[in-house]
Amino acid sequence: MSTPLNGSLIKAFEILRLFDEDQPELSAVTVAQKLGLNTSTAHRFLLTLEHVGALTSLRRGHFGLGPRLEELGRLAELTNPLPVMVKPVLDAVSKDLNESVMACRLNRLGPVCVSVSESERSISVVVKTGTVLPFQHSAQGRLWLAHMTPEARASHLQDGAVLRAHSQKQIDPAGFANDLETIRGEGYALNLGDNEPDIAAVSVPVWNAEGDMVLSLSAFGMLSRFDAALVERAKGRLLAASSEISSKWR
């Protein structure tokens, strides 16, 4: 039985993830509208986050990211240089394919995005760093599962079940196991609208010198653009990027 998660902590991080370049500040009204909370609850979350330094008050009722997050961001860059190392490679692939590209590390609940390069298309799919993808319905999730032992696979599927709540798709266990064996043999995974309608992705693994899978790379975008030709192109370009990252890892 998996350990229950702390819902308040999850909600606090959902609030933090509302910040971006287009929305550098938040109010209780905005948080309530976007996350389905009542205003008083949203305000209490904001005040709590301000108290611990994650947020700072910009003016009455409006909050921005706080000094503690800046400190943690600098610490993350010092102790985990991986996103900085990978980003230029992702940018090059994204420019070549004219699609968004991201890298994920393995998380207990699913692959978590550690670096992303958004395409310059006027209409594109956006995934933020820190986003956790579901195991069963995403290309990156299935790729990670395909390279796990049966015991590790069962454990991760149980832990990651929380992310499957939104999905109405039923998985046939025998067919799914066969699909994972195919992915393992072919060396890449596809998602053709399986996780989100009209969204497609191609994913490949990144290996370290010891032969362990340490990252997954994925090109993703609108399903209508991912025909057979683009899938093959993306697969080849991602595999080349995987080799480049692997060489830097050593």
Side-chain angles (χ1 to χ4, degrees):
M1 183 177 180
S2 58
T3 303
L5 303 179
N6 187 302
S8 294
L9 188 58
I10 291 173
K11 189 63 66 178
F13 273 88
E14 288 178 353
I15 292 172
L16 293 175
R17 290 186 60 204
L18 293 176
F19 288 98
D20 58 28
E21 292 180 356
D22 296 322
Q23 187 163 277
E25 61 181 62
L26 292 174
S27 67
V29 173
T30 303
V31 172
Q33 291 173 342
K34 289 184 176 292
L35 298 183
L37 303 173
N38 62 55
T39 306
S40 61
T41 299
H43 187 62
R44 187 167 67 251
F45 270 108
L46 290 171
L47 289 178
T48 303
L49 288 167
E50 181 191 22
H51 177 74
V52 298
L55 298 182
T56 187
S57 178
L58 302 176
R59 62 184 190 278
R60 185 175 177 83
H62 290 76
F63 299 83
L65 296 176
R68 183 56 180 150
L69 291 184
E70 294 178 13
E71 293 171 7
L72 291 174
R74 288 192 293 270
L75 179 61
E77 289 185 1
L78 289 172
T79 59
N80 181 22
L82 174 65
V84 176
M85 179 187 78
V86 169
K87 186 65 163 58
V89 180
L90 301 187
D91 288 343
V93 177
S94 179
K95 184 177 181 180
D96 288 349
L97 298 177
N98 199 19
E99 299 290 351
S100 297
V101 180
M102 66 174 160
C104 285
R105 298 192 84 160
L106 183 61
N107 180 283
R108 185 174 63 88
L109 302 180
V112 59
C113 177
V114 295
S115 186
V116 63
S117 179
E118 296 178 12
S119 78
E120 297 182 356
R121 291 179 178 273
S122 56
I123 299 177
S124 63
V125 180
V126 177
V127 175
K128 296 181 180 180
T129 56
T131 298
V132 182
L133 304 176
F135 276 116
Q136 288 183 308
H137 298 300
S138 69
Q140 298 210 48
R142 291 196 288 258
L143 189 72
W144 282 100
L145 290 175
H147 293 284
M148 290 180 188
T149 64
E151 295 77 17
R153 185 182 301 168
S155 176
H156 278 84
L157 283 174
Q158 183 182 30
D159 288 338
V162 64
L163 296 182
R164 298 204 303 271
H166 74 284
S167 176
Q168 301 301 314
K169 295 184 179 182
Q170 298 299 313
I171 298 292
D172 169 53
F176 187 65
N178 289 335
D179 289 343
L180 295 182
E181 285 305 311
T182 299
I183 290 170
R184 187 183 182 96
E186 294 181 342
Y188 73 100
L190 286 178
N191 162 24
L192 300 177
D194 302 315
N195 186 39
E196 298 288 348
D198 304 320
I199 305 301
V202 184
S203 185
V204 306
V206 178
W207 309 95
N208 64 13
E210 290 72 39
D212 300 316
M213 183 175 168
V214 290
L215 281 178
S216 54
L217 305 181
S218 178
F220 59 97
M222 301 303 297
L223 177 60
S224 59
R225 296 197 294 264
F226 275 67
D227 56 15
L230 179 56
V231 168
E232 283 302 309
R233 233 179 103 229
K235 182 177 67 171
R237 190 62 184 84
L238 288 168
L239 287 171
S242 172
S243 296
E244 182 178 352
I245 294 171
S246 292
S247 66
K248 291 182 178 182
W249 205 287
R250 296 184 178 90

